Amino acid sequence: MAIIGWDTDLAVNDGAANAFVVFTGVTQITLPATEQQVVETTTLSSANGVREYMAALVEPGEMSFTCRHSDAAYLRLQTLRDGESHNFKVTYASGATDTFAGLVTKLEEDV
């Protein structure tokens, strides 16, 4: 679903301040797309020769964002890539929020 992201904030609670701190200069956010995994349970006696499946684990997906950042902000992002889970929160103009835990796995910088 596409929405206009004006006045939308992305924040992280890295534990240092024990509060959500907003990233500045964010220009784009792609939220995680969860996906239900399935396991095939077909047997030789499955009805009508149709494969059967059951729900398995949910893949939580990946979040990405683009921002214009200062050197200090980039250093902050680097410290978040510590192998630990951090809580992220997206706050929309309406006041609605999406909160989720995640690992910082990749930093990419265009020069």
Side-chain angles (χ1 to χ4, degrees), residues 10-60:
L10 173 65
V12 65
N13 183 341
D14 60 8
N18 200 24
F20 283 98
V21 178
V22 173
F23 288 104
T24 58
V26 174
T27 60
Q28 182 267 332
I29 302 169
T30 302
L31 293 172
T34 60
E35 181 179 353
Q36 176 69 61
Q37 301 293 309
V38 295
V39 174
E40 185 176 355
T41 59
T42 307
T43 66
L44 294 177
S45 60
S46 291
N48 300 318
V50 176
R51 293 186 184 277
E52 298 176 9
Y53 299 89
M54 64 181 276
L57 299 174
V58 173
E59 174 64 44

Side-chain angles (χ1 to χ4, degrees), residues 61-110:
E62 295 182 357
M63 188 247 345
S64 65
F65 70 98
T66 304
C67 68
R68 293 186 302 273
H69 58 76
S70 64
D71 289 341
Y74 190 72
L75 289 173
R76 180 168 177 244
L77 288 168
Q78 287 178 319
T79 62
L80 290 171
R81 194 181 55 195
D82 58 4
E84 300 291 326
S85 179
H86 300 285
N87 292 315
F88 292 86
K89 179 168 68 171
V90 177
T91 304
Y92 304 96
S94 67
T97 62
D98 280 319
T99 305
F100 49 91
L103 304 168
V104 177
T105 59
K106 179 177 167 182
L107 295 175
E108 196 171 295
E109 187 172 24
D110 293 329

